[in-house]
Amino acid sequence: MTDQTTTGRTTDPAMLQEYLTGYDRILSDVAATGRRLTRDELDSRRALGERAAEAGHGLRALVSRHLTATRDAWPVPSADTASADSVLAAVEQAVDAFAEGYERAQRLAVRREEASRREFIDDLLHGRSDLGRLAERAGRFGLQLSHAHAVAVAVGESAYAETDPVTRGVELALVSRFGDRRILLTTKDGRLICVAPADQGDVLTYFAKQAHAATDGGRVAIGRAHPGAGGVVQSYEEALSAHDLAERMALEDPVLRAADLLVYPVLSRDREAMTDLVRSTLGPLTEARGGARPLLDTLTAYFDAGCVAAEAARRLNLSVRALTYRLERIHKLTGSDPAEPFHRYTLQTAVIGARLMDWPAKDL
């Protein structure tokens, strides 16, 4: 017969016998003297437990073998032998020490695995390791870096760790929905991170939905898909840049895609030209009563509302008449009419530049 271990491995009982070395001798000696196990005997049981765990044997099967060995070697109590209570106490000591060693080895293995996983994730997201070696290690964690991947990053009010209920809840939702799809869910710097193959965009979309809910309305940014190990780093950095851009631009969308935000880095690439545009186009607004901020906010709301005056007025808690007056004031000060297509494009680009550079709060 064979035993099914808790690890799912089928093991011949004879193979487990080496982890009971000296156990029958201990039972015989205890039966004769009624003594308790010595420190050396307990240490030997712990050491055997550690070896069994490192070999991948299940604890249930090993405890069963101890009980079987106890039954086979059971001494019949008599006037010359210790009581059954003494023998059972020794069995309890031996099995407890064995289990302690087994669990200690398992905890150590878990800590090593966690450290290895954390090192891999740090190397993966920062590209600090040899890419070939990184690709080899990725297989252990379910990734095939020869394919293209995209990265989603969720940020909430709190910092999240791998063992947090929020992280575990999102992970359970993903596994329940998609099973084994070569997805890596982890945390980095308090953020939730999901790495998925490029051809499985539904995974990142579902992750964004779950993470947004689990983090009580946190924002999720999704980088573009890129090939290779270096592509994961690039996608991750795009997602982080999208979060940074959302903060500077006061973007309210719960899910941001780097592919939809490419215009912003393009506009900000030539800072000198953008600074000149903001100064020349919006600088005259500083002459308005109350400064440039109210009129700049008016332009922002107007453009965000698709140039629909009624919607922009609602967002600003103004009447349509008051909004129209502000637009006319902007036209008079800048010489650009927000309602005229060519002027509108110039004004809107300048407004984006102002938001990117935090003008007028910061001087240009």
Side-chain angles (χ1 to χ4, degrees):
M1 284 184 64
T2 58
D3 292 326
Q4 185 72 29
T5 70
T6 55
T7 62
R9 174 180 172 184
T10 301
T11 305
D12 188 331
M15 295 177 60
L16 303 181
Q17 194 59 40
E18 64 177 289
Y19 305 108
L20 276 72
T21 301
Y23 181 65
D24 54 350
R25 179 192 55 76
I26 292 174
L27 288 182
S28 298
D29 201 24
V30 168
T33 64
R35 68 173 177 80
R36 297 179 64 81
L37 270 65
T38 66
R39 177 175 296 180
D40 287 344
E41 288 171 336
L42 291 173
D43 287 343
S44 70
R45 298 305 99 192
R46 295 187 185 99
L48 288 169
E50 290 181 5
R51 283 173 47 196
E54 291 168 356
H57 298 297
L59 182 58
R60 187 176 64 182
L62 289 159
V63 170
S64 177
R65 291 302 304 156
H66 276 80
L67 296 179
T68 299
T70 301
R71 185 175 61 249
D72 293 343
W74 184 256
V76 179
S78 67
D80 298 325
T81 61
S83 68
D85 285 345
S86 297
V87 176
L88 290 176
V91 171
E92 181 182 6
Q93 276 189 291
V95 172
D96 183 67
F98 185 91
E100 180 185 348
Y102 185 97
E103 292 169 356
R104 184 167 59 194
Q106 283 199 319
R107 286 194 298 270
L108 180 60
V110 168
R111 285 197 295 270
R112 286 173 177 167
E113 182 65 21
E114 289 175 347
S116 176
R117 174 182 167 88
R118 177 49 53 190
E119 181 183 6
F120 167 74
I121 289 168
D122 289 344
D123 290 345
L124 178 68
L125 297 179
H126 293 291
R128 293 189 300 228
S129 178
D130 174 77
L131 296 184
R133 174 62 180 148
L134 191 64
E136 292 177 5
R137 294 160 60 198
R140 291 181 54 199
F141 303 99
L143 297 180
Q144 290 184 338
L145 295 185
S146 58
H147 299 166
H149 288 79
V151 181
V153 178
V155 176
E157 292 296 326
S158 304
Y160 305 104
E162 298 252 359
T163 56
D164 286 348
V166 167
T167 308
R168 293 306 185 196
V170 174
E171 182 176 32
L172 178 61
L174 285 172
V175 172
S176 299
R177 177 70 177 272
F178 300 107
D180 181 14
R181 282 247 203 135
R182 296 193 175 278
I183 304 166
L184 176 64
L185 182 70
T186 186
T187 61
K188 178 67 176 173
D189 298 329
R191 308 179 184 100
L192 290 179
I193 298 170
C194 183
V195 182
D199 59 354
Q200 297 179 19
D202 55 333
V203 171
L204 295 183
T205 299
Y206 189 72
F207 166 79
K209 178 181 178 181
Q210 294 297 318
H212 175 69
T215 57
D216 296 325
R219 180 185 290 118
V220 182
I222 303 175
R224 293 179 296 163
H226 299 282
V232 174
V233 179
Q234 188 173 352
S235 184
Y236 174 63
E237 291 178 346
E238 287 180 351
L240 293 183
S241 295
H243 277 294
D244 180 62
L245 181 64
E247 290 294 327
R248 288 189 288 152
M249 298 290 292
L251 302 178
E252 297 180 354
D253 303 58
V255 180
L256 303 170
R257 293 183 180 274
D260 299 332
L261 303 174
L262 292 177
V263 66
Y264 295 106
V266 170
L267 291 175
S268 61
R269 191 163 295 157
D270 191 339
R271 185 176 180 84
E272 184 177 348
M274 181 59 73
T275 299
D276 187 46
L277 176 65
V278 172
R279 281 175 177 165
S280 60
T281 304
L282 302 178
L285 297 182
T286 58
E287 300 173 13
R289 181 183 300 176
R293 174 54 63 186
L295 296 182
L296 182 61
D297 290 343
T298 300
L299 283 173
T300 299
Y302 183 65
F303 294 134
D304 287 348
C307 299
V308 178
E311 174 60 18
R314 186 191 66 79
R315 296 186 182 192
L316 293 170
N317 293 318
L318 296 174
S319 66
V320 175
R321 182 176 180 180
L323 179 81
T324 301
Y325 171 78
R326 287 192 180 186
L327 293 177
E328 291 173 351
R329 182 66 175 152
I330 291 168
H331 185 188
K332 183 177 180 179
L333 288 169
T334 65
S336 298
D337 183 2
E340 200 278 323
F342 181 76
H343 290 176
R344 181 190 307 158
Y345 175 77
T346 301
L347 282 169
Q348 188 167 9
T349 304
V351 167
I352 292 173
R355 294 167 74 177
L356 286 171
M357 294 183 285
D358 198 20
W359 182 88
K362 294 180 180 179
D363 293 332
L364 299 180

